[in-house]
Amino acid sequence: MKREAASAFKVVCPIDSTTRRKIWPEHHDPSPFVTPADHFVERDGVQFAGTHLIIDLWGARRLDDLQLMERALRECVIKCGATLLHIHLHHFTPNGGISGVTVLAESHISVHTWPERGFAAFDIFMCGNAKPDAAISVLKRAFSPKKMNITEKLRGLQGNDACDGKRSDSPSQGRRVGGMRKL
């Protein structure tokens, strides 16, 4: 049954290797002399896959401006030192909310906005040498929120680790809450 379904799919959606590379580009060096990179991160002696920021903006402006959102996301990618693979944004009507994702070699940035409430939810996960914290200032400048709630989660830790956490708006005021840091 599975074999029949796979054969039927190939007939309906034939994709040769050249087309597949255009649709799903591969980002690697095929040289046999290159050792694959791990992309795990080490901070203060702790190794983990990457940093995941959950950022809520309250009292924010221009959350229905599609061009501003794309410019802000592209700037976040540059400031964070990440590698952009693809951006997809959807503009809802009638309220003008935006949902979208910025796909990165290092992971992603996603956004969902409720302009009628002045609220935006950003999700930023990056591994390797990327610095997701650099996106915070970009989002502040672009959307002028009255308040930001930022939660940081270190992904890929073995067990419950003290470096995993929530943080308050100011990193110097970070406090640990329930295994997370509040910024």
Side-chain angles (χ1 to χ4, degrees), residues 48-87:
F48 53 97
T51 303
H52 198 154
L53 299 179
I54 306 299
I55 302 174
D56 290 347
L57 307 183
W58 288 99
R61 299 178 315 147
R62 299 183 66 190
L63 297 176
D64 58 349
D65 186 333
L66 198 59
Q67 287 73 33
L68 174 63
M69 183 63 70
E70 182 170 348
R71 282 194 314 269
L73 291 172
R74 287 180 182 278
E75 186 178 348
C76 285
V77 172
I78 292 166
K79 295 279 186 187
C80 294
T83 308
L84 178 64
L85 301 179
H86 180 75
I87 291 181

Side-chain angles (χ1 to χ4, degrees), residues 66 88-93 96-101:
L66 198 59
H88 178 79
L89 296 172
H90 179 79
H91 203 199
F92 292 97
T93 57
I98 297 171
S99 288
V101 65

Side-chain angles (χ1 to χ4, degrees), residues 13-134:
C13 186
I15 299 176
D16 62 37
S17 61
T18 303
T19 304
R20 185 174 51 246
R21 277 192 225 81
K22 289 178 184 174
I23 296 170
W24 298 291
E26 296 177 1
H27 297 276
H28 70 278
D29 183 344
S31 167
F33 305 107
V34 174
T35 303
D38 183 342
H39 299 293
F40 258 56
V41 178
E42 184 168 331
R43 184 193 307 160
D44 300 326
V46 177
Q47 291 187 346
F48 53 97
T51 303
H52 198 154
L53 299 179
I54 306 299
I55 302 174
D56 290 347
L57 307 183
W58 288 99
R61 299 178 315 147
R62 299 183 66 190
L63 297 176
D64 58 349
D65 186 333
L66 198 59
Q67 287 73 33
L68 174 63
M69 183 63 70
E70 182 170 348
R71 282 194 314 269
L73 291 172
R74 287 180 182 278
E75 186 178 348
C76 285
V77 172
I78 292 166
K79 295 279 186 187
C80 294
T83 308
L84 178 64
L85 301 179
H86 180 75
I87 291 181
H88 178 79
L89 296 172
H90 179 79
H91 203 199
F92 292 97
T93 57
N95 71 349
I98 297 171
S99 288
V101 65
T102 304
V103 181
L104 309 172
E106 296 79 8
S107 196
H108 72 275
I109 302 171
S110 67
V111 61
H112 303 279
T113 72
W114 289 260
E116 69 278 11
R117 294 183 175 257
F119 176 72
F122 287 88
D123 180 280
I124 301 173
F125 177 45
M126 295 182 187
C127 64
N129 294 324
K131 306 289 185 219
D133 284 1

